PDB file of all heavy atoms in Angstrom:
ATOM      1  N   PHE A   1       9.235 -44.059   7.437  1.00 97.00           N
ATOM      2  CA  PHE A   1       7.885 -44.092   7.243  1.00 97.00           C
ATOM      3  C   PHE A   1       7.314 -42.657   7.004  1.00 97.00           C
ATOM      4  O   PHE A   1       6.489 -42.443   6.144  1.00 97.00           O
ATOM      5  CB  PHE A   1       7.094 -44.719   8.442  1.00 97.00           C
ATOM      6  CG  PHE A   1       5.718 -45.044   8.228  1.00 97.00           C
ATOM      7  CD1 PHE A   1       5.345 -46.344   7.863  1.00 97.00           C
ATOM      8  CD2 PHE A   1       4.675 -44.018   8.459  1.00 97.00           C
ATOM      9  CE1 PHE A   1       4.015 -46.535   7.573  1.00 97.00           C
ATOM     10  CE2 PHE A   1       3.344 -44.445   8.286  1.00 97.00           C
ATOM     11  CZ  PHE A   1       2.933 -45.616   7.879  1.00 97.00           C
ATOM     12  N   GLN A   2       7.779 -41.744   7.848  1.00 97.00           N
ATOM     13  CA  GLN A   2       7.317 -40.328   7.721  1.00 97.00           C
ATOM     14  C   GLN A   2       7.706 -39.738   6.355  1.00 97.00           C
ATOM     15  O   GLN A   2       6.830 -39.065   5.720  1.00 97.00           O
ATOM     16  CB  GLN A   2       7.825 -39.493   8.853  1.00 97.00           C
ATOM     17  CG  GLN A   2       7.130 -39.789  10.220  1.00 97.00           C
ATOM     18  CD  GLN A   2       5.711 -39.434  10.159  1.00 97.00           C
ATOM     19  OE1 GLN A   2       5.330 -38.330   9.743  1.00 97.00           O
ATOM     20  NE2 GLN A   2       4.909 -40.328  10.624  1.00 97.00           N
ATOM     21  N   GLU A   3       8.977 -39.902   5.965  1.00 96.00           N
ATOM     22  CA  GLU A   3       9.431 -39.341   4.745  1.00 96.00           C
ATOM     23  C   GLU A   3       8.960 -39.962   3.485  1.00 96.00           C
ATOM     24  O   GLU A   3       8.544 -39.345   2.618  1.00 96.00           O
ATOM     25  CB  GLU A   3      10.970 -39.308   4.716  1.00 96.00           C
ATOM     26  CG  GLU A   3      11.629 -38.428   5.804  1.00 96.00           C
ATOM     27  CD  GLU A   3      11.361 -36.953   5.478  1.00 96.00           C
ATOM     28  OE1 GLU A   3      11.140 -36.550   4.314  1.00 96.00           O
ATOM     29  OE2 GLU A   3      11.289 -36.140   6.469  1.00 96.00           O
ATOM     30  N   ALA A   4       9.017 -41.290   3.441  1.00 97.00           N
ATOM     31  CA  ALA A   4       8.589 -42.002   2.249  1.00 97.00           C
ATOM     32  C   ALA A   4       7.137 -42.184   2.033  1.00 97.00           C
ATOM     33  O   ALA A   4       6.625 -42.048   0.917  1.00 97.00           O
ATOM     34  CB  ALA A   4       9.311 -43.406   2.154  1.00 97.00           C
ATOM     35  N   ARG A   5       6.480 -42.385   3.120  1.00 96.00           N
ATOM     36  CA  ARG A   5       4.996 -42.666   2.980  1.00 96.00           C
ATOM     37  C   ARG A   5       4.138 -41.440   3.296  1.00 96.00           C
ATOM     38  O   ARG A   5       3.336 -41.005   2.464  1.00 96.00           O
ATOM     39  CB  ARG A   5       4.505 -43.849   3.952  1.00 96.00           C
ATOM     40  CG  ARG A   5       3.038 -43.984   3.909  1.00 96.00           C
ATOM     41  CD  ARG A   5       2.545 -45.331   4.526  1.00 96.00           C
ATOM     42  NE  ARG A   5       1.191 -45.249   4.818  1.00 96.00           N
ATOM     43  CZ  ARG A   5       0.470 -46.305   5.121  1.00 96.00           C
ATOM     44  NH1 ARG A   5       0.934 -47.566   5.171  1.00 96.00           N
ATOM     45  NH2 ARG A   5      -0.885 -46.199   5.491  1.00 96.00           N
ATOM     46  N   GLU A   6       4.336 -40.867   4.419  1.00 96.00           N
ATOM     47  CA  GLU A   6       3.427 -39.811   4.944  1.00 96.00           C
ATOM     48  C   GLU A   6       3.707 -38.518   4.072  1.00 96.00           C
ATOM     49  O   GLU A   6       2.603 -37.885   3.813  1.00 96.00           O
ATOM     50  CB  GLU A   6       3.568 -39.584   6.408  1.00 96.00           C
ATOM     51  CG  GLU A   6       3.287 -40.697   7.277  1.00 96.00           C
ATOM     52  CD  GLU A   6       1.761 -41.186   7.142  1.00 96.00           C
ATOM     53  OE1 GLU A   6       1.002 -40.569   7.880  1.00 96.00           O
ATOM     54  OE2 GLU A   6       1.499 -42.050   6.375  1.00 96.00           O
ATOM     55  N   LYS A   7       4.951 -38.142   3.834  1.00 96.00           N
ATOM     56  CA  LYS A   7       5.132 -36.951   3.166  1.00 96.00           C
ATOM     57  C   LYS A   7       5.172 -36.960   1.650  1.00 96.00           C
ATOM     58  O   LYS A   7       4.737 -36.030   0.975  1.00 96.00           O
ATOM     59  CB  LYS A   7       6.529 -36.422   3.655  1.00 96.00           C
ATOM     60  CG  LYS A   7       6.580 -35.870   5.107  1.00 96.00           C
ATOM     61  CD  LYS A   7       7.883 -35.299   5.407  1.00 96.00           C
ATOM     62  CE  LYS A   7       7.875 -34.928   6.906  1.00 96.00           C
ATOM     63  NZ  LYS A   7       9.244 -34.289   7.295  1.00 96.00           N
ATOM     64  N   ARG A   8       5.599 -38.095   1.099  1.00 96.00           N
ATOM     65  CA  ARG A   8       5.722 -38.269  -0.313  1.00 96.00           C
ATOM     66  C   ARG A   8       4.771 -39.340  -0.939  1.00 96.00           C
ATOM     67  O   ARG A   8       4.606 -39.333  -2.185  1.00 96.00           O
ATOM     68  CB  ARG A   8       7.145 -38.570  -0.739  1.00 96.00           C
ATOM     69  CG  ARG A   8       8.047 -37.433  -0.373  1.00 96.00           C
ATOM     70  CD  ARG A   8       9.497 -37.830  -0.608  1.00 96.00           C
ATOM     71  NE  ARG A   8      10.444 -36.758  -0.482  1.00 96.00           N
ATOM     72  CZ  ARG A   8      10.946 -36.247   0.599  1.00 96.00           C
ATOM     73  NH1 ARG A   8      10.463 -36.801   1.794  1.00 96.00           N
ATOM     74  NH2 ARG A   8      11.774 -35.252   0.685  1.00 96.00           N
ATOM     75  N   GLY A   9       4.215 -40.259  -0.190  1.00 96.00           N
ATOM     76  CA  GLY A   9       3.337 -41.177  -0.745  1.00 96.00           C
ATOM     77  C   GLY A   9       4.012 -42.233  -1.750  1.00 96.00           C
ATOM     78  O   GLY A   9       3.370 -42.608  -2.641  1.00 96.00           O
ATOM     79  N   LEU A  10       5.311 -42.498  -1.464  1.00 95.00           N
ATOM     80  CA  LEU A  10       6.052 -43.340  -2.406  1.00 95.00           C
ATOM     81  C   LEU A  10       5.795 -44.804  -2.095  1.00 95.00           C
ATOM     82  O   LEU A  10       6.136 -45.645  -2.993  1.00 95.00           O
ATOM     83  CB  LEU A  10       7.544 -42.999  -2.283  1.00 95.00           C
ATOM     84  CG  LEU A  10       7.927 -41.664  -2.680  1.00 95.00           C
ATOM     85  CD1 LEU A  10       9.369 -41.375  -2.476  1.00 95.00           C
ATOM     86  CD2 LEU A  10       7.637 -41.336  -4.188  1.00 95.00           C
ATOM     87  N   VAL A  11       5.395 -45.161  -0.886  1.00 95.00           N
ATOM     88  CA  VAL A  11       5.272 -46.655  -0.608  1.00 95.00           C
ATOM     89  C   VAL A  11       3.992 -46.822   0.239  1.00 95.00           C
ATOM     90  O   VAL A  11       3.464 -45.930   0.898  1.00 95.00           O
ATOM     91  CB  VAL A  11       6.572 -47.008   0.319  1.00 95.00           C
ATOM     92  CG1 VAL A  11       7.785 -46.825  -0.429  1.00 95.00           C
ATOM     93  CG2 VAL A  11       6.572 -46.276   1.663  1.00 95.00           C
ATOM     94  N   TYR A  12       3.664 -48.089   0.373  1.00 93.00           N
ATOM     95  CA  TYR A  12       2.681 -48.544   1.345  1.00 93.00           C
ATOM     96  C   TYR A  12       3.401 -49.115   2.615  1.00 93.00           C
ATOM     97  O   TYR A  12       3.029 -48.851   3.697  1.00 93.00           O
ATOM     98  CB  TYR A  12       1.783 -49.572   0.759  1.00 93.00           C
ATOM     99  CG  TYR A  12       0.810 -50.200   1.831  1.00 93.00           C
ATOM    100  CD1 TYR A  12      -0.232 -49.386   2.293  1.00 93.00           C
ATOM    101  CD2 TYR A  12       1.026 -51.380   2.322  1.00 93.00           C
ATOM    102  CE1 TYR A  12      -1.039 -49.950   3.287  1.00 93.00           C
ATOM    103  CE2 TYR A  12       0.161 -52.005   3.236  1.00 93.00           C
ATOM    104  CZ  TYR A  12      -0.907 -51.202   3.709  1.00 93.00           C
ATOM    105  OH  TYR A  12      -1.689 -51.685   4.742  1.00 93.00           O
ATOM    106  N   ASN A  13       4.494 -49.927   2.276  1.00 94.00           N
ATOM    107  CA  ASN A  13       5.167 -50.535   3.342  1.00 94.00           C
ATOM    108  C   ASN A  13       6.722 -50.250   3.276  1.00 94.00           C
ATOM    109  O   ASN A  13       7.259 -50.426   2.162  1.00 94.00           O
ATOM    110  CB  ASN A  13       4.958 -52.044   3.258  1.00 94.00           C
ATOM    111  CG  ASN A  13       5.376 -52.766   4.491  1.00 94.00           C
ATOM    112  OD1 ASN A  13       5.578 -52.218   5.558  1.00 94.00           O
ATOM    113  ND2 ASN A  13       5.566 -54.088   4.419  1.00 94.00           N
ATOM    114  N   ILE A  14       7.346 -49.746   4.332  1.00 97.00           N
ATOM    115  CA  ILE A  14       8.746 -49.643   4.354  1.00 97.00           C
ATOM    116  C   ILE A  14       9.217 -49.756   5.852  1.00 97.00           C
ATOM    117  O   ILE A  14       8.564 -49.174   6.739  1.00 97.00           O
ATOM    118  CB  ILE A  14       9.132 -48.250   3.810  1.00 97.00           C
ATOM    119  CG1 ILE A  14      10.698 -48.026   3.704  1.00 97.00           C
ATOM    120  CG2 ILE A  14       8.558 -47.025   4.624  1.00 97.00           C
ATOM    121  CD1 ILE A  14      11.175 -46.899   2.923  1.00 97.00           C
ATOM    122  N   TYR A  15      10.359 -50.462   6.006  1.00 97.00           N
ATOM    123  CA  TYR A  15      10.728 -50.649   7.417  1.00 97.00           C
ATOM    124  C   TYR A  15      12.282 -50.972   7.344  1.00 97.00           C
ATOM    125  O   TYR A  15      12.798 -51.440   6.372  1.00 97.00           O
ATOM    126  CB  TYR A  15       9.993 -51.620   8.145  1.00 97.00           C
ATOM    127  CG  TYR A  15      10.057 -52.999   7.543  1.00 97.00           C
ATOM    128  CD1 TYR A  15      10.990 -53.933   7.777  1.00 97.00           C
ATOM    129  CD2 TYR A  15       8.905 -53.342   6.692  1.00 97.00           C
ATOM    130  CE1 TYR A  15      10.947 -55.134   7.222  1.00 97.00           C
ATOM    131  CE2 TYR A  15       8.869 -54.637   6.141  1.00 97.00           C
ATOM    132  CZ  TYR A  15       9.911 -55.566   6.470  1.00 97.00           C
ATOM    133  OH  TYR A  15       9.848 -56.816   5.874  1.00 97.00           O
ATOM    134  N   SER A  16      12.940 -50.838   8.501  1.00 98.00           N
ATOM    135  CA  SER A  16      14.286 -51.308   8.726  1.00 98.00           C
ATOM    136  C   SER A  16      14.269 -52.396   9.676  1.00 98.00           C
ATOM    137  O   SER A  16      13.352 -52.556  10.458  1.00 98.00           O
ATOM    138  CB  SER A  16      15.258 -50.162   9.104  1.00 98.00           C
ATOM    139  OG  SER A  16      14.932 -49.669  10.327  1.00 98.00           O
ATOM    140  N   PHE A  17      15.387 -53.228   9.703  1.00 97.00           N
ATOM    141  CA  PHE A  17      15.493 -54.305  10.638  1.00 97.00           C
ATOM    142  C   PHE A  17      16.984 -54.564  10.922  1.00 97.00           C
ATOM    143  O   PHE A  17      17.867 -54.314  10.198  1.00 97.00           O
ATOM    144  CB  PHE A  17      14.863 -55.584  10.127  1.00 97.00           C
ATOM    145  CG  PHE A  17      15.373 -56.067   8.719  1.00 97.00           C
ATOM    146  CD1 PHE A  17      16.445 -56.941   8.702  1.00 97.00           C
ATOM    147  CD2 PHE A  17      14.832 -55.500   7.563  1.00 97.00           C
ATOM    148  CE1 PHE A  17      16.944 -57.379   7.484  1.00 97.00           C
ATOM    149  CE2 PHE A  17      15.312 -56.001   6.341  1.00 97.00           C
ATOM    150  CZ  PHE A  17      16.404 -56.855   6.204  1.00 97.00           C
ATOM    151  N   SER A  18      17.132 -55.168  12.079  1.00 97.00           N
ATOM    152  CA  SER A  18      18.535 -55.481  12.455  1.00 97.00           C
ATOM    153  C   SER A  18      18.563 -56.892  12.984  1.00 97.00           C
ATOM    154  O   SER A  18      17.977 -57.252  14.010  1.00 97.00           O
ATOM    155  CB  SER A  18      19.087 -54.575  13.595  1.00 97.00           C
ATOM    156  OG  SER A  18      20.416 -54.947  14.017  1.00 97.00           O
ATOM    157  N   THR A  19      19.266 -57.850  12.272  1.00 97.00           N
ATOM    158  CA  THR A  19      19.292 -59.229  12.649  1.00 97.00           C
ATOM    159  C   THR A  19      20.757 -59.538  13.062  1.00 97.00           C
ATOM    160  O   THR A  19      21.671 -59.275  12.494  1.00 97.00           O
ATOM    161  CB  THR A  19      18.947 -60.124  11.359  1.00 97.00           C
ATOM    162  OG1 THR A  19      17.718 -59.776  10.813  1.00 97.00           O
ATOM    163  CG2 THR A  19      18.976 -61.537  11.741  1.00 97.00           C
ATOM    164  N   SER A  20      20.765 -60.194  14.341  1.00 97.00           N
ATOM    165  CA  SER A  20      22.012 -60.476  14.845  1.00 97.00           C
ATOM    166  C   SER A  20      22.255 -62.050  14.832  1.00 97.00           C
ATOM    167  O   SER A  20      21.335 -62.714  15.086  1.00 97.00           O
ATOM    168  CB  SER A  20      22.117 -60.066  16.292  1.00 97.00           C
ATOM    169  OG  SER A  20      22.213 -58.597  16.397  1.00 97.00           O
ATOM    170  N   TYR A  21      23.477 -62.444  14.629  1.00 96.00           N
ATOM    171  CA  TYR A  21      23.902 -63.798  14.725  1.00 96.00           C
ATOM    172  C   TYR A  21      24.970 -63.948  15.701  1.00 96.00           C
ATOM    173  O   TYR A  21      25.444 -62.982  16.323  1.00 96.00           O
ATOM    174  CB  TYR A  21      24.388 -64.200  13.290  1.00 96.00           C
ATOM    175  CG  TYR A  21      23.401 -64.029  12.212  1.00 96.00           C
ATOM    176  CD1 TYR A  21      23.606 -63.269  11.170  1.00 96.00           C
ATOM    177  CD2 TYR A  21      22.111 -64.749  12.246  1.00 96.00           C
ATOM    178  CE1 TYR A  21      22.679 -63.056  10.163  1.00 96.00           C
ATOM    179  CE2 TYR A  21      21.184 -64.485  11.237  1.00 96.00           C
ATOM    180  CZ  TYR A  21      21.459 -63.718  10.174  1.00 96.00           C
ATOM    181  OH  TYR A  21      20.551 -63.585   9.170  1.00 96.00           O
ATOM    182  N   ASP A  22      25.541 -65.235  15.837  1.00 93.00           N
ATOM    183  CA  ASP A  22      26.598 -65.418  16.902  1.00 93.00           C
ATOM    184  C   ASP A  22      27.819 -64.668  16.558  1.00 93.00           C
ATOM    185  O   ASP A  22      28.571 -64.212  17.502  1.00 93.00           O
ATOM    186  CB  ASP A  22      26.941 -66.868  16.993  1.00 93.00           C
ATOM    187  CG  ASP A  22      25.769 -67.836  17.497  1.00 93.00           C
ATOM    188  OD1 ASP A  22      24.880 -67.093  18.223  1.00 93.00           O
ATOM    189  OD2 ASP A  22      25.738 -68.951  17.422  1.00 93.00           O
ATOM    190  N   ASP A  23      28.211 -64.427  15.288  1.00 94.00           N
ATOM    191  CA  ASP A  23      29.475 -63.774  14.929  1.00 94.00           C
ATOM    192  C   ASP A  23      29.298 -62.718  13.858  1.00 94.00           C
ATOM    193  O   ASP A  23      30.258 -62.440  13.125  1.00 94.00           O
ATOM    194  CB  ASP A  23      30.510 -64.835  14.475  1.00 94.00           C
ATOM    195  CG  ASP A  23      29.861 -65.736  13.331  1.00 94.00           C
ATOM    196  OD1 ASP A  23      28.724 -65.725  13.050  1.00 94.00           O
ATOM    197  OD2 ASP A  23      30.675 -66.507  12.854  1.00 94.00           O
ATOM    198  N   GLY A  24      28.263 -62.050  13.794  1.00 96.00           N
ATOM    199  CA  GLY A  24      28.004 -61.005  12.804  1.00 96.00           C
ATOM    200  C   GLY A  24      26.514 -60.615  12.834  1.00 96.00           C
ATOM    201  O   GLY A  24      25.701 -60.946  13.667  1.00 96.00           O
ATOM    202  N   GLY A  25      26.088 -59.964  11.768  1.00 97.00           N
ATOM    203  CA  GLY A  25      24.763 -59.594  11.589  1.00 97.00           C
ATOM    204  C   GLY A  25      24.343 -59.005  10.282  1.00 97.00           C
ATOM    205  O   GLY A  25      25.274 -58.932   9.394  1.00 97.00           O
ATOM    206  N   LEU A  26      23.175 -58.478  10.161  1.00 98.00           N
ATOM    207  CA  LEU A  26      22.776 -57.904   8.960  1.00 98.00           C
ATOM    208  C   LEU A  26      21.696 -56.757   9.225  1.00 98.00           C
ATOM    209  O   LEU A  26      20.768 -57.046   9.853  1.00 98.00           O
ATOM    210  CB  LEU A  26      22.151 -58.964   8.002  1.00 98.00           C
ATOM    211  CG  LEU A  26      21.754 -58.508   6.555  1.00 98.00           C
ATOM    212  CD1 LEU A  26      22.830 -58.132   5.841  1.00 98.00           C
ATOM    213  CD2 LEU A  26      21.018 -59.743   5.895  1.00 98.00           C
ATOM    214  N   PHE A  27      22.008 -55.549   8.814  1.00 98.00           N
ATOM    215  CA  PHE A  27      21.082 -54.434   8.904  1.00 98.00           C
ATOM    216  C   PHE A  27      20.457 -54.226   7.581  1.00 98.00           C
ATOM    217  O   PHE A  27      21.203 -54.143   6.567  1.00 98.00           O
ATOM    218  CB  PHE A  27      21.864 -53.252   9.391  1.00 98.00           C
ATOM    219  CG  PHE A  27      20.940 -51.966   9.530  1.00 98.00           C
ATOM    220  CD1 PHE A  27      20.219 -51.838  10.713  1.00 98.00           C
ATOM    221  CD2 PHE A  27      20.853 -51.129   8.530  1.00 98.00           C
ATOM    222  CE1 PHE A  27      19.376 -50.730  10.783  1.00 98.00           C
ATOM    223  CE2 PHE A  27      20.088 -49.953   8.700  1.00 98.00           C
ATOM    224  CZ  PHE A  27      19.275 -49.866   9.799  1.00 98.00           C
ATOM    225  N   GLY A  28      19.156 -54.115   7.667  1.00 97.00           N
ATOM    226  CA  GLY A  28      18.492 -53.949   6.219  1.00 97.00           C
ATOM    227  C   GLY A  28      17.350 -53.022   6.296  1.00 97.00           C
ATOM    228  O   GLY A  28      16.684 -52.637   7.298  1.00 97.00           O
ATOM    229  N   ILE A  29      16.983 -52.661   5.068  1.00 98.00           N
ATOM    230  CA  ILE A  29      15.726 -51.821   4.803  1.00 98.00           C
ATOM    231  C   ILE A  29      14.944 -52.511   3.725  1.00 98.00           C
ATOM    232  O   ILE A  29      15.600 -52.886   2.636  1.00 98.00           O
ATOM    233  CB  ILE A  29      16.127 -50.446   4.349  1.00 98.00           C
ATOM    234  CG1 ILE A  29      17.037 -49.745   5.418  1.00 98.00           C
ATOM    235  CG2 ILE A  29      14.883 -49.507   3.980  1.00 98.00           C
ATOM    236  CD1 ILE A  29      17.979 -48.711   4.895  1.00 98.00           C
ATOM    237  N   TYR A  30      13.676 -52.692   3.886  1.00 98.00           N
ATOM    238  CA  TYR A  30      12.798 -53.233   2.837  1.00 98.00           C
ATOM    239  C   TYR A  30      11.709 -52.162   2.492  1.00 98.00           C
ATOM    240  O   TYR A  30      11.249 -51.419   3.354  1.00 98.00           O
ATOM    241  CB  TYR A  30      12.084 -54.495   3.351  1.00 98.00           C
ATOM    242  CG  TYR A  30      10.903 -54.866   2.422  1.00 98.00           C
ATOM    243  CD1 TYR A  30      11.157 -55.509   1.184  1.00 98.00           C
ATOM    244  CD2 TYR A  30       9.638 -54.451   2.756  1.00 98.00           C
ATOM    245  CE1 TYR A  30      10.093 -55.745   0.354  1.00 98.00           C
ATOM    246  CE2 TYR A  30       8.573 -54.701   1.884  1.00 98.00           C
ATOM    247  CZ  TYR A  30       8.888 -55.361   0.646  1.00 98.00           C
ATOM    248  OH  TYR A  30       7.726 -55.704  -0.148  1.00 98.00           O
ATOM    249  N   ALA A  31      11.412 -52.223   1.239  1.00 97.00           N
ATOM    250  CA  ALA A  31      10.380 -51.249   0.763  1.00 97.00           C
ATOM    251  C   ALA A  31       9.649 -51.893  -0.472  1.00 97.00           C
ATOM    252  O   ALA A  31      10.362 -52.532  -1.272  1.00 97.00           O
ATOM    253  CB  ALA A  31      10.876 -49.838   0.461  1.00 97.00           C
ATOM    254  N   GLY A  32       8.427 -51.708  -0.586  1.00 95.00           N
ATOM    255  CA  GLY A  32       7.593 -52.081  -1.836  1.00 95.00           C
ATOM    256  C   GLY A  32       7.049 -50.814  -2.365  1.00 95.00           C
ATOM    257  O   GLY A  32       6.407 -49.986  -1.656  1.00 95.00           O
ATOM    258  N   THR A  33       7.298 -50.562  -3.638  1.00 94.00           N
ATOM    259  CA  THR A  33       6.877 -49.336  -4.252  1.00 94.00           C
ATOM    260  C   THR A  33       6.484 -49.500  -5.758  1.00 94.00           C
ATOM    261  O   THR A  33       6.674 -50.643  -6.282  1.00 94.00           O
ATOM    262  CB  THR A  33       8.037 -48.281  -4.157  1.00 94.00           C
ATOM    263  OG1 THR A  33       7.553 -46.991  -4.648  1.00 94.00           O
ATOM    264  CG2 THR A  33       9.254 -48.690  -5.081  1.00 94.00           C
TER     265      THR A  33
END
């Protein structure tokens, strides 16, 4: 958020997420630009 939005103004929305399942998971980053 600080680098992409506050310092460079490249995005309105950006975030990361970590989703866990019973036997694995998915780590991700979403951005709209």
Side-chain angles (χ1 to χ4, degrees):
F1 192 93
Q2 286 296 313
E3 292 293 332
R5 174 168 164 166
E6 298 298 277
K7 294 183 180 179
R8 292 173 174 80
L10 298 176
V11 299
Y12 173 72
N13 193 17
I14 187 170
Y15 59 85
S16 63
F17 57 91
S18 179
T19 303
S20 292
Y21 303 117
D22 289 342
D23 52 350
L26 188 59
F27 178 83
I29 300 149
Y30 165 80
T33 188

